[in-house]
Amino acid sequence: MRRANPEAAYRARPTDPGAVAGAMTDRMVARNQFNASADDASNARAGLRQDPLNRVLLRTLGVHEEVNGRTPAAFGSMQLAHRVSRRDSITELWLAEYHRRQDNPVKALVHYDAAMLVRPDLQKVLFPQMVPALASAKFRAAVRPYIVRGASWTPSFVGTAAGANLDNAASLVRPVLADMAGGVFDQAFSSIVYRLAARGDGAQALAIAREAFAGLDQNAFQRAGWSKVNLDSRMGPLAWKFNQSVDVSSSLDRQGNLTIVVSPFAAGSAAQRTFMVTPSARYQFSYKLRSAAGQQSAQLRWKAECVNETASTTLGEFPSQLQPGQAASGALIDIPAGCYLMRLIANVAGPDAQTASEISIASLRLDRLT
């Protein structure tokens, strides 16, 4: 009866510890009713005489005191429930909020952590409260030990923070970057680095990337041509991404050149990368292009876009239809004021032929002229 109808079991045996606990759990967890009457409190006390370590009964006393405005007494009961077990999410949430109101983030985080370990689904409820609190240096300092020890909720939390307030997220992670290795924070780092670059703070973006991503060669990364470093997916859009599909397939050959195979009549993006650039500057974009003799060549058209976090603006398109053999191609690209990121996209179109076309791109450069 306790499981099928907890309230009926409670009415039948109102001082039985299990019946009281079952009804209070059903009421507060399943039905989200944060309330305990005087009768509930009296029955909980009777139950505690039989089962003095019942965390739900202790929590019931705390809830009764809270709803009647007796916060110190509520705190005492909730503390007892916490000492018995850290697995009661309602107790932990109450204590977390109590300490938050007391401006004690260190103690509040103890209970936020316990609650989210028991119920990971609470992240979606707690993060909207915790993320704005990162504006406080005290709160950031309280969170960092959980990041360092790898608490299960921290990768999602840092990621959520990175999408909310960039400065707060960067301030949170900078002092503990060396302790955040292992890959679980890479997605959050990628977001922080990209957003810093998009607003023009490339130096800080690269400084964080250098510490966050083991083995990142900053000088190699800043070169335009593809290499192991600027193919590193941890850098998100700031790294080269090659298309792999049935109609358009891109890969590096043994010489480090980009080989693109395009099916007849097919079209699509073969490769793209977003570069950190200087506003109001002019860049020379250049590369060498080769196609096999004796076949119709695919058409290659580069597209340059100024991008930010939410939109993009086309800066130009640069077609290069190659005859059999090899040739140098390129274009001048003028970066407008206020543009800190430029995306280059290699679009290809297959030939009107019976077989696929293969082209190769080498010696790609992006040099600032002014």
Side-chain angles (χ1 to χ4, degrees), residues 174 177 193 201-213 216 218:
R174 270 196 304 263
L177 284 171
V193 169
D201 200 347
Q204 184 179 189
L206 288 173
I208 288 178
R210 188 171 56 248
E211 286 196 60
F213 301 134
L216 180 71
Q218 184 171 314

Side-chain angles (χ1 to χ4, degrees), residues 143-304:
V143 172
R144 288 186 190 116
Y146 297 90
I147 293 175
V148 171
R149 83 171 195 222
S152 59
W153 52 270
T154 54
S156 296
F157 179 70
V158 175
T160 302
N165 185 297
L166 180 58
D167 291 317
N168 290 347
S171 296
L172 171 67
V173 302
R174 270 196 304 263
V176 289
L177 284 171
D179 300 299
M180 297 175 73
V184 295
F185 292 99
D186 284 355
Q187 188 172 353
F189 286 147
S190 177
S191 175
I192 291 171
V193 169
Y194 182 79
R195 293 189 66 202
L196 285 169
R199 77 175 192 188
D201 200 347
Q204 184 179 189
L206 288 173
I208 288 178
R210 188 171 56 248
E211 286 196 60
F213 301 134
L216 180 71
D217 182 332
Q218 184 171 314
N219 291 329
F221 177 78
Q222 290 178 289
R223 300 187 191 111
W226 25 83
S227 67
K228 179 180 179 181
V229 175
N230 56 38
L231 288 170
D232 193 332
S233 62
R234 295 176 300 177
M235 292 297 288
L238 298 177
W240 278 106
K241 181 180 180 181
F242 299 151
N243 185 39
Q244 294 283 339
S245 69
V246 174
D247 292 327
V248 179
S249 178
S250 307
S251 60
L252 294 181
D253 63 21
R254 292 181 179 178
Q255 289 72 44
N257 302 324
L258 179 63
T259 297
I260 304 171
V261 179
V262 191
S263 298
F265 306 104
S269 169
Q272 63 176 283
R273 182 188 176 190
T274 300
F275 296 85
M276 289 184 279
V277 292
T278 302
S280 304
R282 169 170 282 188
Y283 285 82
Q284 175 69 56
F285 171 53
S286 61
Y287 56 94
K288 291 181 178 179
L289 188 61
R290 180 186 62 80
S291 70
Q295 67 171 217
Q296 283 188 270
S297 175
Q299 296 180 12
L300 171 67
R301 178 185 292 268
W302 289 92
K303 183 178 182 180

